[in-house]
Amino acid sequence: MMSNFDPHAHVAAALAAIAPDVDAEDLDADLHDALGLDSMDLLNLAAAIEHSAGITIPERDYPGLRTIRQLESIVLSRHSSP
Amino acid sequence: MPDPPATDALVPFTMPSLGADMDAGTIIEWLVTPGAKVKRGDVVAIVQTDKSDIDVEVFADGTVVELIVPPGHKVPVGTVLAQLAPSGSARPAQELATAVILPATIEPQPEARHEPRPPVAAHAHAHGISSPMLRHLAEELHVDVQRVRGTGEADRITRSDIEHAASRRRISPRARRLAREVGVDTSELVGEGPVTGDDVLRAQTIGAMPASAVERPRPEPSSADTMRRTIARLMAKSWQEIPHYHVGLRVDVHECMTALAALNEQRDAASRILPGAVLAHAAARAAAAVPGVNGYWIDDAFVPGDGVHLALVVALRRGGLLAPVIHDAAVKDLDTFMAEMRDLVTRARNGRLKASEVSGATITLTELGEGEVDFVTPIIHPPQVAILGIGAIHDEPWADNGMLAVRPVVHATLAGDHRAVDGRLGSLYLNAFRRFLQEPIR
């Protein structure tokens, strides 16, 4: 079951709800500068992913978070070791 | 079929003016059906203007009797969209009298009234008005039909001509002064009853900060050019007319941000509080503590705000700005404030705001923390008299008790309208802002 967990699916679904104009496949684009997400968007994103994936993403994971790829890596690690 | 309410109890729900340059709107969707009970403040329709889609609220309790204008039809401001039967008998007799004589039909050629027409001769009204109903309407609205240009067939005066003329006439003195102050064309402000000062402020606010963040497909996409022009007009007017001064204060937010991090550590993301909300909450409370910065400059006098209604400048991803308003912001606790800020900012960027959510601001906050600049010297949104600008929280060398430390610091800059607010008040405001940030987070 654990091996079926797809962090990208959760991130893409949350992104589609919160910023539908943002391309979730652009994994290495800068969330803030290139994709235009602000801190409220990131909070909404985290809340949506926490809800859908059943995990907690603590605030201390945020610093250094710049890309969708990094976000997916945080989601995966929180899912593997909550 | 239920008995229709007595016709003399009906009140019209009309196309509102949602901006100084709006003269027509399109119903995109009705959110109610005939027979639905509505309460004052309920959103009953989505209206598309040239710039944005706005949720339009109803201004009376009652029952929807008839939806007159179907979705997809563009109609002039003031056109009766639906008829309501008000609950109770609280409505003024004048309004009921107006309602009963408004014909429940769509003007066949709403655009016609915008075509240039030769002036109607003084005697033209004799054949200009064919219907006793319209004559009655003109009398009721105190419109001198000799001064109305007919735009119907053979220059006949139509219902909307009379309503349009009525809207030009019935303007409160305060509304007239305000309109002059903020550059709103009162002829665009058509609605029920006389145009009030609040109508003008609302039109000015919405016109200046149009929402265009709607992401779903639309029949006519919002115009970024129009938004740019309205921002340009407001900012140029502000910069030309308002003698701005700026005062600044650096605030050490170490304790408050440490406390916030500890609080958020205990919470899931959905209930966390952003640093920006803590700063905005302090900005609102400081405005309540120093009310001289919270209000309007109207007709060469300062008019204090009736409560602190804090506008938050929100940058849209596709460009442009929007300024949703947290009403009575100073008396809300931090959690309530954050929840409302989250809702408003999220919908400003992705969804739709209600007409009431973009109007009534008494002071504005612009937080440029997202852009990682240290400070901003903002421009006042007239007729408000102050705006607070906040830069990003960043580490700075900080002298503390003779020692040098590194602290997270935020630069707060207040712009004041020197006609209304002296530098000392601005200074008192910033010191109150700092004081609230030094209080424990509750």
Side-chain angles (χ1 to χ4, degrees), chain B residues 13-249:
Chain B
F13 172 67
T14 58
M15 175 63 73
S17 176
L18 297 168
D21 44 7
M22 168 177 169
D23 49 25
T26 306
I27 294 272
I28 295 183
E29 190 180 352
W30 281 107
L31 305 176
V32 292
T33 51
K37 290 205 183 313
V38 292
K39 287 203 299 290
R40 180 187 165 85
D42 285 353
V43 175
V44 294
I46 303 169
V47 168
Q48 182 187 64
T49 71
D50 289 343
K51 290 167 287 185
S52 62
D53 296 349
I54 295 271
D55 286 342
V56 174
E57 304 115 307
V58 70
F59 288 95
D61 295 356
T63 305
V64 177
V65 175
E66 185 187 7
L67 302 180
I68 295 164
V69 176
H73 282 64
K74 187 170 189 174
V75 295
V77 166
T79 302
V80 177
L81 304 173
Q83 294 282 12
L84 305 179
S87 48
S89 53
R91 302 201 69 79
Q94 170 72 26
E95 205 165 341
L96 295 177
T98 305
V100 68
I101 53 168
L102 289 171
T105 54
I106 305 169
E107 280 314 314
Q109 290 288 326
E111 290 81 9
R113 75 169 218 224
H114 301 300
E115 291 169 11
R117 296 268 176 179
V120 177
H123 64 272
H125 72 282
H127 56 82
I129 287 191
S130 55
S131 142
M133 198 156 62
L134 290 181
R135 204 182 307 280
H136 186 181
L137 172 64
E139 283 169 19
E140 202 66 52
L141 298 178
H142 309 293
V143 169
D144 177 1
V145 292
Q146 294 194 34
R147 302 182 56 183
V148 176
R149 286 184 188 187
T151 62
E153 288 282 313
D155 289 345
R156 250 202 302 276
I157 295 170
T158 66
R159 179 178 54 80
S160 67
D161 293 335
I162 294 171
E163 289 175 349
H164 197 64
S167 75
R168 288 181 180 282
R169 295 178 49 90
R170 301 194 298 163
I171 302 170
S172 76
R174 174 172 175 256
R176 203 179 295 279
R177 285 198 303 272
L178 253 177
R180 202 168 52 234
E181 206 65 53
V182 303
V184 164
D185 179 0
T186 52
S187 70
E188 303 290 350
L189 297 175
V190 186
E192 296 171 32
V195 175
T196 65
D198 286 347
D199 292 336
V200 173
L201 287 176
R202 180 163 133 162
Q204 186 257 348
T205 311
I206 297 172
M209 296 290 166
S212 76
V214 181
E215 308 292 353
R216 62 189 177 72
R218 312 146 54 93
E220 296 170 34
S222 65
S223 159
D225 288 348
T226 312
M227 173 182 269
R228 205 61 255 165
R229 278 199 301 273
T230 52
I231 294 172
R233 201 166 52 229
L234 186 76
M235 291 296 102
K237 177 181 171 60
S238 170
W239 198 242
Q240 285 160 7
E241 292 182 6
I242 299 179
H244 283 71
Y245 69 83
H246 291 91
V247 286
L249 189 67

Side-chain angles (χ1 to χ4, degrees), chain B residues 259-275:
Chain B
L260 181 64
L263 180 77
N264 284 340
E265 188 65 29
Q266 311 298 318
R267 299 179 168 202
D268 59 13
S271 53
R272 280 177 206 149
I273 291 169
L274 289 176

